[in-house]
């Protein structure tokens, strides 16, 4: 079963605009990760934020985590056409015993128009 | 360095058949995980293997099985295929103690 929901399901913006997508989850976590997937192929790891962190930056990416609300957001600034992809959040559940089990959301499909 | 590789890229089977999917992890990675991604959904965890032992199993029927070889490559086997098994099957590897998983390009399985 999916861990939670991502919002919005689809997002269409113009190049240069910022894109924000949100993720909610259900259980206590060790960390939360964001992945990108192009055209139904393999996933690419973008950023990881640990449960004791509130905000993290990587290039044009900014991730926030609110463990009290069990939610996270991914902000992509100054978007480019190449950012067009599906974006997934994935949680590593606390107590999972390092089983390598990531629980993914349903994803947000981002389209960046040139 | 080579990333995670999977074979075959595409596969078409009919109901009731058996399929074997293969995965080679990044050199030095000893953990391999398998995920199923149905069209329009996020990936769902099937198995994790570490040091040739099963370390985690998702909510999949016994028709799904896997194994890991001494060189840390892995196979996912699915018996008695159903139409609902049509999906993209993703393999991911990770280093010891690592949280980030490195995904292969996937095998797209179509069951007719």
């Amino acid at each position: 079963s999916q861990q939670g929901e991502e919002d919005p399901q689809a997002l269409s913006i113009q190049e240069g605009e910022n894109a924000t997508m949100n993720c909610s989850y259900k259980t206590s976590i060790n960390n939360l990760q964001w992945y990108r997937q192009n055209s139904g192929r393999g996933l690419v790891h973008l950023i990881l934020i640990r449960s004791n962190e509130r905000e993290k930056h990587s290039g044009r990416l900014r991730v926030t985590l609110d463990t009290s609300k069990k939610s996270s957001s991914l902000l992509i600034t100054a978007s480019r056409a190449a950012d067009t992809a599906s974006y997934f959040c994935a949680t590593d559940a606390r107590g999972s015993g390092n089983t390598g089990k990531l629980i993914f959301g349903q994803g947000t499909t981002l389209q960046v128009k040139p | 360095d080579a990333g995670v590789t999977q074979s075959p890229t595409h596969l078409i089977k009919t109901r009731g058949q058996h399929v074997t999917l293969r995965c080679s992890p990044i050199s030095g990675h000893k953990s391999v995980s398998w995920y199923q991604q149905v069209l329009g959904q996020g990936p769902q965890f099937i198995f994790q293997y570490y040091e040739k032992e099963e370390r985690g199993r998702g909510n999949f029927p016994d028709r799904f099985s896997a194994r890991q070889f001494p060189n840390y490559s892995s196979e996912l086997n699915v018996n008695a295929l159903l139409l609902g098994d049509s999906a993209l099957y993703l393999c991911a590897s990770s280093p010891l103690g690592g949280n980030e998983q490195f995904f292969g390009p996937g095998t797209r399985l179509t069951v007719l």
Side-chain angles (χ1 to χ4, degrees):
Chain A
S1 62
Q2 305 291 149
Q3 166 71 292
E5 296 183 357
E6 293 191 50
D7 169 52
Q9 288 189 337
L11 182 60
S12 181
I13 59 175
Q14 294 294 135
E15 214 167 22
E17 294 180 337
N18 295 341
T20 299
M21 48 204 89
N22 304 294
C23 164
S24 63
Y25 57 91
K26 297 175 182 174
T27 63
S28 296
I29 61 172
N30 291 318
N31 61 69
L32 185 144
Q33 305 176 42
W34 286 89
Y35 287 82
R36 184 185 75 205
Q37 184 177 40
N38 289 86
S39 303
R41 301 304 289 173
L43 283 78
V44 174
H45 183 267
L46 296 176
I47 195 167
L48 179 152
I49 186 166
R50 300 189 188 283
S51 60
N52 61 352
E53 297 176 310
R54 291 297 166 259
E55 186 172 312
K56 202 162 184 180
H57 296 255
S58 176
R60 294 185 295 113
L61 306 180
R62 172 178 169 255
V63 170
T64 62
L65 179 64
D66 186 336
T67 53
S68 66
K69 295 181 179 179
K70 291 186 168 58
S71 67
S72 173
S73 67
L74 171 68
L75 168 67
I76 304 174
T77 60
S79 63
R80 306 165 181 168
D83 294 328
T84 295
S86 292
Y87 292 82
F88 294 91
C89 67
T91 53
D92 180 359
R94 185 165 296 171
S96 65
N98 193 31
T99 61
K101 178 180 180 179
L102 290 179
I103 304 176
F104 285 83
Q106 302 226 12
T108 293
T109 299
L110 173 65
Q111 181 185 30
V112 181
K113 299 176 183 177
Chain B
D1 285 342
V4 176
T5 60
Q6 291 186 244
S7 63
T9 305
H10 295 88
L11 202 52
I12 299 175
K13 292 285 189 178
T14 56
R15 282 178 295 175
Q17 286 189 312
H18 163 270
V19 68
T20 297
L21 310 181
R22 296 178 175 82
C23 170
S24 292
I26 291 172
S27 178
H29 288 189
K30 298 182 179 181
S31 172
V32 171
S33 296
W34 287 94
Y35 293 82
Q36 179 196 64
Q37 186 179 21
V38 174
L39 192 64
Q41 302 286 322
Q44 289 207 26
F45 174 77
I46 310 175
F47 287 111
Q48 189 219 12
Y49 275 77
Y50 177 72
E51 288 285 12
K52 301 181 289 294
E53 290 189 9
E54 182 183 303
R55 301 293 176 137
R57 171 185 283 257
N59 187 25
F60 281 82
D62 291 344
R63 298 185 297 107
F64 288 76
S65 64
R67 56 180 176 167
Q68 187 176 35
F69 298 99
N71 66 354
Y72 304 108
S73 67
S74 178
E75 282 183 355
L76 175 69
N77 296 284
V78 186
N79 292 323
L81 286 167
L82 303 174
L83 296 179
D85 295 331
S86 294
L88 181 68
Y89 288 85
L90 296 161
C91 172
S93 73
S94 58
L96 175 63
N99 295 300
E100 175 185 350
Q101 295 194 19
F102 297 81
F103 283 81
T107 294
R108 185 162 297 283
L109 172 65
T110 302
V111 182
L112 301 176

